Amino acid sequence: MNVTNEQIQLARRPVGTPVMEDFAFVEAPVASPEDGELLVRTVYVSVDPYLRGRMQDAKSYIPPFQLGEVISSGVIAQVVESKSDQFAKGDLVLGALGWQRYTVTRAEAVRKIDASIEPVTLHLSMLGMTGLTAYFGLLDIGQPKEGETVVVSGAAGAVGSTVGQIAKIHGARVVGIAGTAEKCDYLTEQLGFDVAINYKEEVKAALREACPDGIDVYFDNVGGTISDAVFPLLNKFARIPVCGAISSYNNTEVEMGPRVQTALIKTSALMKGFTVGDYSDRYGEGLTALTTWYKEGKLKYEETITEGFDHIIDAFLDLFKGANLGKSIVKVAEIE
Ligand SMILES: NC(=O)c1ccc[n+]([C@@H]2O[C@H](COP(=O)([O-])OP(=O)(O)OC[C@H]3O[C@@H](n4cnc5c(N)ncnc54)[C@H](OP(=O)(O)O)[C@@H]3O)[C@@H](O)[C@H]2O)c1
């Protein structure tokens, strides 16, 4: 194909909060697909906090990006040319694809998405990776019961906003923690959270007041001092799904905090880390439940859509400034 590709590569490993200079915008030729391959055009790109971890040269559940490698994440793309009998030109596909305008991919590395679900971006958000993370982390580890108190941090983001709503569906009392008054209003007025706490103002006293009967489930998206405030309020047999620790992703030194062992022993609480990939053999179950609740009007979503390939890095950096409400997604091109 006689088009120049544009790519975003990792130029150097960020130290602390990533900056624009850690990334390189590079032009490259677009290859032609061979048998069993597809040429796809990037339409929507998911930007996610976990990508920060992949920029470090450190062992994790997913290999780090190499310097000069095209950054990749969840992408919705449209088939431009197909050398696979499973896909036709125009199909919309979802896969872990590069931050580039065009990709040649093995057909089995992507899956066709249900274009009847609108907006299609839901496949990257509530009916995709972040929705599944909320579903399995909350229900498999958190196991909220009717009348229990569930606290969720990062509550107005993609995972957190879904967690709170699923907890409400299960009859829990839900307390969200988020970074602005507007986000807190959104949680209580739009999503049905019982209480929302702006952590930039006060956490400890506000949590005590919001949870007079203690905390049964703490869905942790952020770690750090916000989570420290939760431990003294845990109830007997509390459950703590540890989903993320965004407050520490840009730290250059290991952060010391209160040690959690005593609180866990005193309460017989369960604290368990997980990644959504742990549940890959149950994605069908999760998607069916999430889609049903969405169609029944029990789950609402918000997406922050940034326009333009050139703004992918801005959208990524904005995650660490709390600029997004709900899932952050970049629209790179129109669906044709
Ligand atoms: N385990 C898994 O498989 C899995 C999968 C997906 C995501 N995650 C994790 O889940 C968490 C949420 O991910 P997401 O995709 O839903 O992102 P998100 O919540 O939509 O976006 C990130 C949000 O984090 C908050 N934040 C940023 N810096 C913070 C800080 N220093 N302290 C407290 N909050 C801060 C901001 O909201 P405020 O305005 O409220 O600060 C920001 O909007 C992340 O930690 C992510 O790594 C884990």
Side-chain angles (χ1 to χ4, degrees), residues 189-331:
E189 287 165 21
Q190 305 291 323
L191 300 190
F193 282 48
D194 296 280
V195 184
I197 294 170
N198 179 354
Y199 72 85
K200 301 244 171 87
E201 286 180 353
E202 216 285 321
V203 186
K204 269 190 192 169
L207 259 181
R208 264 198 312 272
E209 193 180 324
C211 307
D213 300 325
I215 296 171
D216 301 293
V217 179
Y218 173 51
F219 193 104
D220 192 0
N221 279 315
V222 306
T225 53
I226 293 173
S227 301
D228 293 344
V230 168
F231 282 92
L233 300 175
L234 292 178
N235 285 336
K236 187 89 179 163
F237 299 121
R239 287 82 65 198
I240 307 167
V242 183
C243 175
I246 192 168
S247 74
S248 67
Y249 291 172
N250 293 323
N251 286 357
T252 51
E253 284 173 22
V254 176
E255 200 181 24
M256 292 304 292
R259 295 192 164 99
V260 297
Q261 286 85 344
T262 305
L264 298 179
I265 295 162
K266 278 187 191 164
T267 55
S268 302
L270 170 76
M271 185 175 187
K272 187 175 186 307
F274 75 99
T275 66
V276 64
D278 301 342
Y279 297 93
S280 55
D281 58 343
R282 291 175 55 196
Y283 282 173
E285 167 204 324
L287 287 176
T288 301
L290 291 164
T291 307
T292 304
W293 289 327
Y294 171 59
K295 289 185 173 165
E296 290 172 354
K298 292 180 181 161
L299 280 184
K300 295 184 186 154
Y301 71 95
E302 192 67 45
E303 294 173 339
T304 298
I305 309 268
T306 304
E307 297 266 345
F309 184 83
D310 294 347
H311 294 294
I312 293 177
I313 300 299
D314 297 316
F316 172 66
L317 300 181
D318 274 353
L319 292 169
F320 300 96
K321 301 175 194 151
N324 61 304
L325 181 65
K327 180 76 187 90
S328 180
I329 292 170
V330 181
K331 181 177 178 183

Side-chain angles (χ1 to χ4, degrees), residues 48-256:
D48 300 277
Y50 79 91
L51 297 169
R52 176 65 184 85
R54 292 196 68 191
M55 292 168 193
Q56 294 310 115
D57 190 12
K59 186 167 174 269
S60 184
Y61 60 95
I62 187 163
F65 294 120
Q66 299 303 307
L67 293 181
E69 185 179 347
V70 178
I71 310 281
S72 55
S73 66
V75 163
I76 292 174
Q78 193 164 28
V79 176
V80 176
E81 190 180 344
S82 172
K83 292 277 179 65
S84 156
D85 54 13
Q86 306 295 307
F87 294 88
K89 185 176 175 186
D91 282 347
L92 286 177
V93 297
L94 173 71
L97 300 176
W99 288 4
Q100 52 191 352
R101 288 193 185 272
Y102 294 93
T103 300
V104 172
T105 172
R106 294 292 310 164
E108 60 273 16
V110 296
R111 69 172 173 84
K112 228 179 278 188
I113 58 173
D114 178 355
S116 73
I117 287 184
E118 287 189 0
V120 289
T121 46
L122 277 168
H123 294 285
L124 293 175
S125 57
M126 205 175 65
L127 304 183
M129 189 273 280
T130 57
L132 290 169
T133 304
Y135 178 88
F136 289 112
L138 180 68
L139 297 184
D140 197 64
I141 303 171
Q143 302 189 10
K145 300 185 186 53
E146 178 113 26
E148 285 191 332
T149 298
V150 173
V151 173
V152 54
S153 55
V159 174
S161 57
T162 312
V163 166
Q165 294 182 84
I166 298 175
K168 286 302 301 177
I169 290 170
H170 284 76
R173 190 167 168 278
V174 177
V175 177
I177 306 175
T180 66
E182 292 74 25
K183 289 184 180 188
C184 289
D185 288 347
Y186 166 72
L187 295 174
T188 51
E189 287 165 21
Q190 305 291 323
L191 300 190
F193 282 48
D194 296 280
V195 184
I197 294 170
N198 179 354
Y199 72 85
K200 301 244 171 87
E201 286 180 353
E202 216 285 321
V203 186
K204 269 190 192 169
L207 259 181
R208 264 198 312 272
E209 193 180 324
C211 307
D213 300 325
I215 296 171
D216 301 293
V217 179
Y218 173 51
F219 193 104
D220 192 0
N221 279 315
V222 306
T225 53
I226 293 173
S227 301
D228 293 344
V230 168
F231 282 92
L233 300 175
L234 292 178
N235 285 336
K236 187 89 179 163
F237 299 121
R239 287 82 65 198
I240 307 167
V242 183
C243 175
I246 192 168
S247 74
S248 67
Y249 291 172
N250 293 323
N251 286 357
T252 51
E253 284 173 22
V254 176
E255 200 181 24
M256 292 304 292

